[in-house]
Amino acid sequence: MKYVILFCVLLVGCATNKDFELYLEAQKAISRDATMSEAARISVLIDMTKSADNQVKMEAIRTLQEIQRSKTPIVIEAPKKNWLGF
């Protein structure tokens, strides 16, 4: 009986490690994608500031300032621990 309980505890502990690894990979992928998207967006806005039209320049500068003020990180929730604390 002791071995069955020990085996169950070890099995549960191994299963949660995989969830955490998936969480880390997902967090890295989301961060990388958000960074690439933001870089492309800023690149286009910088090109807009080189425009001859003053209205386009002003709108691009306003948008760049708004991006800087409203930056919020994208975070997903970490996997929950089981009732044993693993």
Side-chain angles (χ1 to χ4, degrees):
M1 185 65 178
K2 292 179 187 179
Y3 295 114
V4 172
I5 293 174
L6 180 62
F7 178 72
C8 290
V9 170
L10 291 175
L11 185 62
V12 170
C14 293
T16 58
N17 287 339
K18 183 172 178 137
D19 291 342
F20 192 73
E21 289 173 9
L22 290 174
Y23 162 73
L24 289 177
E25 288 179 27
Q27 191 71 25
K28 287 178 188 177
I30 289 171
S31 176
R32 182 180 54 246
D33 293 345
T35 302
M36 295 300 290
S37 169
E38 191 74 15
R41 184 173 159 195
I42 290 172
S43 175
V44 168
L45 289 170
I46 289 173
D47 288 343
M48 286 174 63
T49 61
K50 298 174 185 174
S51 173
D53 187 7
N54 284 335
Q55 185 67 27
V56 172
K57 284 182 184 180
M58 287 178 13
E59 190 63 29
I61 291 170
R62 185 192 63 76
T63 305
L64 283 168
Q65 290 172 342
E66 186 178 321
I67 288 171
Q68 188 175 14
R69 279 190 306 249
S70 66
K71 229 175 191 180
T72 57
I74 301 172
V75 179
I76 58 174
E77 187 177 329
K80 297 190 188 310
K81 294 184 178 184
N82 61 15
W83 60 275
L84 293 174
F86 293 111

